[in-house]
Amino acid sequence: MTQNPQFQQLTDHEAEVLQKIRQETHEKNLDNISRTRAYLDFYLDYPEMIWSFLASMVSRNGGYNMCDLEGDWFPQFLDPPIRLRLFLTYERANWLIFRDAYSQLLLYSYSTKKSTPMFHLLKFLDVSSFMEREWQIFWEHGDKKRLLTALIINEQNVIHNPVIRHPLYTKRVFNTLMFSFEDYLHFSTVLFPTCDGELYGASVNGFKSVSKRINLGKRLASILFDNRYYPLFLEFAVHTEHTASRHDYEQYFPGNKKRDTPFLRCTYPIIQHHFREQGDWFKERRYHKKWFSQKINHRHPVHLTGWYKKKQKQLHALISLKELFTPE
């Protein structure tokens, strides 16, 4: 926790709440499986926290991308060091977002139980002053869509410097030819499955742009909470255990496609992360008012079942072609 001179002013109850939040957040930030479940469970307990459902569904996709790297296909295309770097990039970004956002959710939970806002404690949890203001606005007005947007803005700024712009990740991941091939590798596409074997979602071009990632988050939220689709997505989330294998949703395809990506906990070790203080992004980076715009423009279809199956065939054909022309 950030050392803060105001720490001495905390009451015993406030210090205890902070300790419990840090402990629970740490325990549930174990891996992609635990994060995904924690986000969903919190949403089911607090349905007004719609960001938490979005986070759970996006977290599922993070797991799919991780397990792709050790599935039947990607090891034929990407060398082990590259696959490990990609996994660690996903893991670091998701760990940082959970550390920041889940502690906010827990503080909201304590505030509701006490029937009084406790958001002045966010600064002791390394959370931006931007969110302290937004939580207070939510407490007073109950605008859950504004809070959803605020959390999307915050999470993308939280990872921007320590991951997206970090010199190591920039050089060894984001500036590589492989990452430029993201359209084929699905890195920039988030899918929302249903138990009927249908897929919906959206993509982003220019993943390194914080504004474009925020825009993607807002577009995804508009799809997830569309009255036509929301019950289908919730049914999938509640009834489909998250293993991080794409088989989680491919099992619902006609013909029940065989599993070709592994289960996350059978594949990856638990990563021990260390938090490095980044400062308050809201005070150190440029803030754009347009980030709060609720205007959503879906330039491409959101129903992606056919697109996904076509992309899978293209990717597999490309890899097979590479194998054919690679000398032994």
Side-chain angles (χ1 to χ4, degrees):
M1 185 184 73
T2 303
Q3 293 301 314
N4 191 306
Q6 298 178 26
F7 185 69
Q8 301 348 353
Q9 302 172 16
L10 294 176
T11 66
D12 289 345
H13 173 68
E14 289 173 333
E16 182 183 2
V17 166
L18 288 171
Q19 181 58 34
K20 287 181 177 178
I21 288 174
R22 288 196 297 271
Q23 182 63 30
E24 184 173 349
T25 301
H26 175 73
E27 290 173 356
K28 292 181 176 176
N29 206 359
L30 185 69
D31 63 9
N32 176 265
I33 305 294
S34 60
R35 290 175 207 125
T36 303
R37 169 51 61 183
Y39 284 136
L40 178 61
D41 286 346
F42 196 90
Y43 173 68
L44 296 176
D45 288 339
Y46 297 91
E48 68 274 24
M49 288 295 107
I50 54 178
W51 179 87
S52 198
F53 184 38
L54 175 65
S56 179
M57 296 300 282
V58 173
S59 182
R60 280 183 180 260
N61 280 263
Y64 302 150
N65 288 332
M66 290 175 181
C67 287
D68 279 347
L69 297 169
E70 297 300 327
D72 289 356
W73 295 95
F74 279 31
Q76 301 179 50
F77 184 67
L78 300 175
D79 292 334
I82 296 176
R83 300 202 308 274
L84 178 60
R85 277 181 231 147
L86 281 168
F87 164 71
L88 293 174
T89 304
Y90 283 124
E91 172 64 19
R92 183 65 178 171
N94 290 324
W95 183 87
L96 283 170
I97 288 172
F98 189 90
R99 183 188 186 278
D100 185 272
Y102 197 71
S103 61
Q104 296 180 53
L105 297 177
L106 290 179
L107 190 58
Y108 170 72
S109 173
Y110 279 103
S111 297
T112 60
K113 289 170 183 173
K114 196 179 177 185
S115 297
T116 188
M118 303 177 69
F119 306 120
H120 62 288
L121 297 179
L122 286 171
K123 64 176 71 72
F124 300 104
L125 295 166
D126 305 308
V127 175
S128 171
S129 55
F130 170 79
M131 286 311 306
E132 182 175 346
R133 181 191 70 179
E134 290 301 323
W135 277 107
Q136 197 61 45
I137 292 172
F138 174 76
W139 188 266
E140 294 171 6
H141 302 286
D143 187 343
K144 59 185 182 181
K145 286 189 176 181
R146 179 187 172 103
L147 182 64
L148 164 74
T149 304
L151 285 162
I152 290 171
I153 293 168
N154 181 66
E155 70 176 77
Q156 294 306 327
N157 278 284
V158 162
I159 66 169
H160 196 64
N161 282 344
V163 177
I164 309 300
R165 296 185 64 187
H166 189 285
L168 179 64
Y169 294 114
T170 296
K171 178 181 179 182
R172 304 182 72 180
V173 177
F174 298 116
N175 283 351
T176 61
L177 178 62
M178 175 279 309
F179 196 82
S180 300
F181 205 46
E182 62 186 28
D183 185 41
Y184 275 100
L185 303 182
H186 308 304
F187 289 149
S188 59
T189 302
V190 176
L191 299 172
F192 297 149
T194 75
C195 293
D196 299 323
E198 299 298 326
L199 301 173
Y200 299 81
S203 301
V204 61
N205 290 317
F207 184 81
K208 289 183 281 187
S209 162
V210 65
S211 293
K212 289 186 177 180
R213 296 196 310 274
I214 289 169
N215 179 266
L216 173 64
K218 293 189 293 185
R219 284 186 286 127
L220 289 170
S222 74
I223 299 167
L224 188 64
F225 296 106
D226 186 305
N227 291 332
R228 295 169 293 176
Y229 312 133
Y230 166 76
L232 303 175
F233 301 143
L234 185 62
E235 177 191 28
F236 175 88
V238 171
H239 294 291
T240 309
E241 180 184 0
H242 177 58
T243 70
S245 169
R246 289 195 184 272
H247 191 66
D248 290 356
Y249 62 82
E250 290 178 344
Q251 64 181 309
Y252 297 113
F253 288 174
N256 195 5
K257 183 179 182 295
K258 78 173 185 70
R259 182 168 67 88
D260 59 10
T261 54
F263 301 132
L264 185 132
R265 286 185 168 169
C266 297
T267 307
Y268 292 111
I270 300 300
I271 304 300
Q272 300 297 324
H273 294 269
H274 300 282
F275 181 72
R276 300 175 183 86
E277 186 176 348
Q278 300 293 325
D280 185 342
W281 69 262
F282 189 55
K283 296 178 180 177
E284 297 177 1
R285 301 189 64 244
R286 186 180 176 190
Y287 170 76
H288 299 270
K289 290 184 178 180
K290 68 176 182 179
W291 288 342
F292 258 116
S293 169
Q294 294 302 316
K295 184 178 179 182
I296 305 296
N297 180 23
H298 291 288
R299 294 172 52 199
H300 303 287
V302 302
H303 183 238
L304 298 179
T305 313
W307 172 90
Y308 174 80
K309 292 178 179 179
K310 180 181 177 182
K311 282 293 181 186
Q312 288 290 87
K313 288 181 179 178
Q314 288 178 342
L315 177 62
H316 297 169
L318 188 72
I319 293 172
S320 298
L321 197 63
K322 176 182 178 293
E323 288 294 301
L324 186 65
F325 289 98
T326 300
E328 295 186 8

